[in-house]
Each structure stands twice: as C-alpha cells, then as structure tokens.
Amino acid sequence: MKDLRESRETRAGSRAELQAELQAELQAELRAAVHGEVAFGTTARALTTMDASNYRRVPLGVVSPMDAADMAAALSVCREHGVPVVARGGGTSIAGQATGTGVVLDFTRHMNRIIALDPEQRLAVVQPGLVLDRLQEAAAPHGLRFGPDPSTHSRCTLGGMIGNNSCGSHSVAWGTTADNVEELSVISGRGEALRLGRNWAGAPDGLRPLVGTALSPLRTGFPDLPRRISGYALDALLPENGADVARSFCGSEGTLGLLSEAVVRLVEAPRARALAVLAYADESAAAEAAPGLLPYSPLTVEGMAADLVPDGGAGLPRGGAWLFVETGGDSEAEARARGEAIVRAADALDALVVTDPAAQRTLWRIREDASGTATRMPDGTEAWPGWEDCAVPPARLGAYLKDFRLLLAEYGLRGTPYGHFGDGCIHVRIDFDLLTEPGVARFRRFSEELADLVVSHGGSLSGEHGDGQARAELLPRMYGPEVIDLFERVKGVWDPDDLLNPGMLVRPSPLDANLRFAVLPREPVDVAFGYPEDGGDFGAAVRRCVGVAKCRTTTPGPGGVMCPSFRATGEEEHSTRGRARLLHEMLAGEVVTDGWRSTEVRDALDLCLSCKGCRSDCPVGVDMATYKAEFLHHHYEGRRRPAAHYAMGWLPRWLRLVARTRSAGLSNALARVRPLAALAKRLGGIAPERQIPHLAREPFTRWWARKGGADADRGGRGQGQVVILWPDTFTEHLSPSVGRAAVRVLGAAGLTVELPPTVRGGGVCCGLTYISTGQLDRARTVLRRTLDLMEPVLDTDAPVVVLEPSCAAALRSDLRELLHDDPRAARLAARVRTFAETLEQYASHWTPPRVDRPVTGQTHCHQHAVLGDAADRRLREAAGLHGELVDGCCGLAGNFGFEAGHYEVSTACAEERLLPAVRAATTGTGAVGAVVLADGFSCRTQVEQLAGVRARHLAEVLAEALSTRGGAPSGTAR
C-alpha cells in the first residue's frame, strides 16, 4: 500500500514538473513572439479561471495581443506545443466558454478600439475587445446605435457578442448580433487569415463541398425560431440564405476561429422612447400576453416576476409579474401614443407609461440587475445558471413556462423566470445543490429532462448565451446524430488540430464536470465576521460573485459607486469580481497556494478603497470592504503590520492622547515644519503628497462641557425627544464645528440633545479605523467597551444620531456582523440614525430654515451603500438647497487616500466626478452662492486638499441659516 501511495505521489510530482516546464517554455516563446503582455503569474491565472458560469478551468497563462499579428503569433506558438487557445472578452459568458486550460487571449487590454464609423453607410469597424457601450456612445451623435444590447452592455465586448451571438432586450426590433454583422476578419485554427462575408466569401478550404453534401439536414434539421442560438448556424450557408459565412461564424464560441476585426451594421435610434410597464398575475400570464403585442412593432417585450424586484415591485403597477414594453417615435408624444396603444391592446391588471428618460433608466436597471439578483432566492438560498437562456417559439412560451414550473416542483427546485418574452427566451437561476454529489447528480438528471422539455416545445437549448459546457453535451437531443456529426466535421475544417476552445459545442465536456464549487473547502473556514446573510460561511460569501461583472463598468452610471479602483486602473484584479476570484482561488488552494498569507490577494485588495459601493451596487451584494478587513485580519495575524495600520488604524487612540495632553497646537505647528512633517509621514506610512489634517484646539466634547453639558439646564430640560449625539473621532478632534452645528439645529428642531456616557480615558467608538485596517481583535475590544458604555441608552427610546456617515455605517452594519454573538450590537445598530433621518423621524413638525442656494458635492459612499440618502434629499429640498449631489467615491476613503502608494488612485477617483462638479459650481458663472456639501470628513478633506474649496456638512449649512434668520432654539442641548 505504501509503495502504491509513493508511486502515485511520484507520478503527481512528475506531472507537476512537466507542467512547470511546459509553462516556462511556453511563456518564454510567447514573450519572444508577441508584442503584447504575456502573464503566467498566479494573479493572471487566478483571474481567468472562471467566467459568469458554474465552471472553472485553470489556464497556463494569459496573453493580451496588440493586434492580429500578435494573435497569429500566439496561436502558432500554442499550436507547436499542442496547447489550447481560448478567446476572452468581458468574461461574462454564462455557459463556461470563456474558460480554458491552455492560453487565454484577453482582447480587452489593447484590441478594444473603433477602427472606423461611417454614418452614411451605417457601418462600424470594431476590434473584438471593444465594450458595447463605447460603440453606442460613438454612434449616438449620428442618431445611430448597434441593435443588440445584452444587460451586460456596460462591460460585454463585441467579440464576445459575436462569439455567443448575443441578443439583448431589443432583439424583437433589431435581431441578434448575427443579424447585424456585415463582415468578419478571423484567424483559423491553422493560422490562416480569412475575411468572411456572403456568397462563400472567406470560407476555409473544404467548407463549401462539405455543405454541398449535407443540404437536406441543413434544410430540415434546424428549428425555425428567432432565438435559435444552440449549435453552429450552418443553415446560414444554404444558397437560399446567401451562403453567409460571416453569419454562420456567429455563435461559434471561439471554436472555429479567432476574431480580429468586425464590420457591423448600425440602426437608426428612435429620437424619443416611451416605456409601458404592464402588470399580470404571474409570469405565465405575462408570457401568454407577449406574442399579442408583437404586431404593434415594439422595441422590447421583456418579462420578469415580483420575486426579482426589490421591495416586491414598489413603484411598479400592482401585479405579480410585468412586461416592459418599449416604444419609439420621432417625438415624445408619438412614443407615448404608441405606448398607450399597447396598454389599450394588452389585457393587463394595471399599467403605466413612462417617458422621462431618468425614470426609464431606473426601471430598466431593475430588469438589467435581474441577472445578479436572480442568484439569490427570497430566503437567501443560492441559485445558479445552467439553464439560463433556453428559448421556445413565442406563441408556446406560456405553455412551456407551466411545464417548466411542474418540472421544477417535481425535482424540489426553485427558480424565477425572466427575460425576453417577446422572443420566447427565458433566463432563470435555479437553486441547484452543486456542492454535494447527490445535488450534482440531481442537477444532471434535471438538465436532461429539461432539454427534452425544451425540444418538445420546438425550442433551442440556448437562446442567447451559447451552449458552452452547460448545454453542449445535450445538443444531440435537439439536433440528432446526423447534424451533430456535421458539426464535428465543420469543426475539423476550421480547426483540424482542435486547439480552439476544445470541449465546447463538439466533443463537449460533461455538463457536471469542472464545476467551480468542487475545489472549495467543504467546511466553513474560521473567520471573524458573522456573515449573517451567508449562514456564517465565508466561502458562501465569496461565492456571491457569479461573474456578471457590473463592477467592470468604466462609468458607474447615475446612482452608482462601484468600483472606483477598477475605473482608476482598468485592471481586472482591482475590480470587485477580480478580488472575489482571487479569494475563491485562495480558498481553493490550487492556484493561490499560501492561503491567508497570499501576497497576490493582499496586493489586489490593497487598492480596494473599502467604499462599500459593491455592497449596494453589485446585484448579488458582494461586500468587498468586509472581505478585505477579514483578509487583513488573518494576513497580519501574529506579524508586524504596515506603518499606516498603526498610524491611522489607531487614530482614535492617538487623537485622544493629543487631547488629554492639550498638545493640538504644538502638533499643528510641527506639521507645518516641512522636514518634520516629511519625517512623520515617512514613519507613519503616509503619502508624501498629503497634508496632515489640522487638529482642533478644543475637541467637541470639551466645548460641550465648557458650555454646560449635562450638568446645566440650558433651555428647558425634557422639552423634546431626547436624542444621543454620537461624538465620533472625526467630529470630536478634527471638525468639532460639525458637532456644534448639529447641536444648534437639533435644538432648534425641538429635540433634547445628550451625549453618550463616558469614562475616564475615553468614550464610545465605532471601531471604524480598526476595521478598515483589519485589526478586528482590537475592533471587537473597542466595540464591546462601547456597548458597555451604551447600555443605559439601550434601555431608553432615544435614537443615536451619528454625523459622520462612515461611522454610522460601521455602527449599523459592521457592529452587528463583527459582534454577531452579542445581542446588544443589534439593539444599538437599530438605534443609529443619520442627521437627516433624525430630523425627519423625530421633528417632523419642524420646518428647516430656507437657504435657497444651489448645491453641489457628493453623497458619502458609505451612506449610498448602507444608510441611504432619501431623508437627506428631502431635507435639502425643504431647505431650498437645489441641485443634485454626485455619486461616487471621493477617493480619500478614510485611511486609503493617506496611505503611501495610493495617492494617484485616490486623486483619479476624485477627478472622475467630484472635483469636476465642485469646480463647475465654484468657478466662473457657477461661483455665485454655490454650497459644496460633503457630510464625510474624508470627502471634505479631499475637496479642500485637491480643489482648495471648503466643503461643509449639511448641519453646518442649516446652522448658519438659523443664525442668519436669528431663530432661537426651541429645544435644548444638555
């Protein structure tokens, strides 16, 4: 037995050695052959093990070609070594076709341009790595657009769309990607450069005679429906279909050739649009109604059920499911009239027609986010792709959905269908158990039966995202052996060496192999946070990232923050998805082998600003700020930390020390001496470009005590609701004017202000600086001490007013998750209110002073992600502060922007939205009376240091207005 074990270990060792030799040789030859980047390191490989599917394959390396010559050179090197090649765009493929065990070609880095755009001919020449939204932006000034638009339009690439024959919500009007392709430039498996078009243009040798022998199956073996994406589109090669080689190439998933350039057709965009939202009892009723709307020439007929809508459909017409039907016209009135005609024709429970573009974007975001929100059941159970996008003839969709529901029930599974009802294409995530052998076996049996059900309704196993590994094994059930044999022979013509994306479409890998969950630990790892939404399992938290890559958008869009570091660097490892992938591989232990000590994971997380934008903007609620804190806690456990962790992580301790010794003046004076400031910054790990913030000579609580505090009755004790004003570290030591202003305003609103209890040596603290630097043991100690101090308050009905948004977010979310074993944590978290929430909930009778001035600035990213800003918006409106604050992250983000090595990214984040908005409002014609608002100390500091403008907390603005109008407080601060 021992000899057998040693023999196995020797063979395993030999395989590993051979693999290492192959990688080294391949990397050296590729670097000599191509001009683009060649990356065989741990990070590059870990980032490309997965796409947005259930599958995982570990590549040997990644090449980012500069041009077609690089592509051909890389393919030549790989052919010599017999190494497979996989083309990859945005990496959002649902079926596993963007993963591989050989070399991955990443086109997004260099081959991402628009080569030409001809408005007269309505044509564009694009490279495969071009993101769809960039093409739409370039075409829009000419009144044009590319018709297909998947929900991932902000990050999917034209090459990926062509590879999968993507469609999107407007396919009822403008068809699939194949319907909008004119010519394609490709490199075949043997390295031949081809220009594909109609009438056999560019066809590789052997394709035409092969098709000539198979005219009968080509004419009878392919279902006729608008969303037939499965298999190769070989019927496009029939003479009556124009022998369109380019069209037949679309949807081949990188298995026939590598796309280097595409000529695509553009369509005229409607000048105005209206969105009719029709409500139905359930998705089956909506599906049955959808075909009847097609004669009215809508632009979209999209369907979804209430389970996928936040708040169960708040803001939508009453119902259990909806159709989103878009109409176009030359004017708003014409578009609305067409929308209203559809409402009259539809047998709906309720309906609304929206013409305001902002309101339409809000509604469409609900639909587009479904690809992420569908990954969680209402009770939090995980759900997965696999049967993400099958399609049936639209007239059969209602009947199919009823049968589909019955099959789900038979297997004890759940899933909520949504998608392109007008084309009969359904998306659904199902709560498969892909973690255990019995669960995976049930997944296979269900897939086989569902394939038969789709075929029985005359459907296609794939209606948009391609077959990949998820469905290719089942294609014989749809096409039969004769057509499947034809697919294999066509693959042999294009790629005789089977180097291009093997295991997809023909001779496929089993649908239950290479599952990405198989490598994860079966037992939860020991962690500090509670992860209540994931059953306490850090692995389940990391699994939240399914790869839809909304974090990879280069512009966050209205109401978005995620992911500022990716937009600053453009690097996958600095996206939320990239970091989640690295954490996944860290848990797997195959590519990232040193666990919590991993330098690759540490380096990727280093540029995470902990803005928490992903917590709200990611459709599945990935919270990378928490994962970063968790990782840093383990990574530095028992080891010396970076200097910045001591300098800024322990900031509350240092500032309390300065306050006790009354040395703020001396500290400020020393900070103005450049050599001393430079030395202090170097020792503290602070960026040399940063100015050290000015410390207040009189902390807020000392001012409170000097003015009387709790021992003096200063205006009628007990006249109003008691509120506890939280003296956070930033208000206490760095901006006490905010605290003084809040006391003034809360008192004027009739509220009785008190401070939390305190003890000698310090007061309450939210632990934010310790959490953000991953010093979680210290954070727990600080928070338990805070809960001890706050116990008398928890026995009252007093809300806790927190002026600093990041501290409020820490108390409302991090406190509960870090002290998940202490019931007092949830009680305190439930008491936390922002300044605006307090006034709205406890002083609703009060009318704020009118400021009547324009406003600019930024909603704090933690407020956006955790707290919400609806109350702030209403308070600003009541005070006559007109204008919108920008969304995004200021880039300073607490300690992040002060840490050495972060200054460039920090300023890039600020320059994205915040600083341009501030400059526009405070220079030139906008300078008169504009108020710059920023409730967060970091945001105010960033604006002051980078724009030279003083931003203010909303409390300060309202307090100043009270002083101007001369109003006396009607409440008390005691």
Side-chain angles (χ1 to χ4, degrees), residues 506-550:
V506 299
R507 296 180 293 276
S509 301
L511 62 88
D512 52 355
N514 305 314
L515 293 173
R516 66 187 179 105
F517 318 100
V519 295
L520 294 178
R522 285 291 167 261
E523 297 297 326
V525 297
D526 185 25
V527 287
F529 282 98
Y531 303 100
E533 303 299 323
D534 298 290
D537 185 354
F538 181 69
V542 171
R543 287 200 305 270
R544 280 183 173 270
C545 179
V546 293
V548 296
K550 189 177 178 183

Side-chain angles (χ1 to χ4, degrees), residues 567-788:
R567 292 195 301 277
T569 69
E571 298 286 349
E572 171 81 9
E573 67 181 288
H574 299 139
S575 69
T576 305
R577 181 180 73 171
R579 294 174 178 125
R581 290 291 183 258
L582 284 162
L583 287 168
H584 186 285
E585 294 303 326
M586 179 193 80
L587 293 175
E590 180 182 352
V591 182
V592 178
T593 57
D594 42 2
W596 295 112
R597 299 298 197 201
S598 167
T599 56
E600 294 85 6
V601 178
R602 181 202 63 199
D603 292 346
L605 288 170
D606 181 56
L607 290 187
C608 171
L609 288 85
S610 297
C611 68
K612 288 187 177 286
C614 49
R615 182 183 174 114
S616 60
D617 295 356
C618 172
V620 291
V622 169
D623 185 358
M624 193 53 63
T626 297
Y627 305 171
K628 176 182 179 179
E630 184 76 63
F631 175 82
L632 293 176
H633 167 70
H634 295 281
H635 185 76
Y636 289 110
E637 190 171 16
R639 297 199 293 176
R640 183 177 179 179
R641 289 173 165 271
H645 286 198
Y646 301 108
M648 286 172 282
W650 292 14
L651 189 65
R653 173 181 290 187
W654 305 136
L655 293 181
R656 282 198 303 271
L657 178 62
V658 170
R660 283 201 301 270
T661 58
R662 297 178 182 267
S663 57
L666 176 61
S667 298
N668 292 334
L670 293 175
R672 289 193 292 270
V673 179
R674 288 188 178 181
L676 293 177
L679 177 61
K681 286 187 278 189
R682 186 164 64 252
L683 293 175
I686 299 173
E689 302 90 343
R690 286 292 175 188
Q691 303 167 36
I692 297 177
H694 187 86
L695 302 183
R697 287 180 175 273
E698 183 180 50
F700 170 66
T701 55
R702 191 175 298 160
W703 168 85
W704 175 269
R706 180 170 61 81
K707 290 295 185 179
D711 298 325
D713 186 349
R714 294 179 287 121
R717 182 186 297 271
Q719 290 182 359
Q721 164 74 45
V722 173
V723 298
I724 308 300
L725 184 61
W726 185 273
D728 64 84
T729 295
F730 306 100
T731 300
E732 169 74 350
H733 300 287
L734 296 166
S735 55
S737 61
V738 173
R740 297 194 296 266
V743 170
R744 165 82 168 160
V745 176
L746 294 170
L751 302 175
T752 299
V753 182
E754 294 183 357
L755 297 193
T758 186
V759 295
R760 182 176 179 83
V764 295
C765 178
C766 70
L768 172 68
T769 58
Y770 301 105
I771 294 171
S772 63
T773 53
Q775 301 180 75
L776 300 185
D777 290 335
R778 178 62 184 166
R780 274 194 290 251
T781 299
V782 167
L783 288 171
R784 290 197 191 280
R785 179 173 176 275
T786 292
L787 290 176
D788 292 340

Side-chain angles (χ1 to χ4, degrees), residues 468-509:
Q469 184 176 344
R471 288 174 288 272
E473 183 189 354
L474 303 172
L475 285 177
R477 297 170 183 259
M478 174 180 170
Y479 282 112
E482 187 176 10
V483 173
I484 294 299
D485 177 68
L486 183 59
F487 287 169
E488 294 185 4
R489 287 189 287 153
V490 166
K491 164 73 168 174
V493 169
W494 284 88
D495 179 29
D497 303 311
D498 198 21
L499 289 181
L500 300 178
N501 215 2
M504 306 295 157
L505 288 180
V506 299
R507 296 180 293 276
S509 301

Side-chain angles (χ1 to χ4, degrees), residues 27 119 338 424 454 526 827 835 875:
Q27 181 179 17
R338 290 177 177 173
V454 171
D526 185 25
R827 291 168 61 197
F835 174 71
L875 180 56

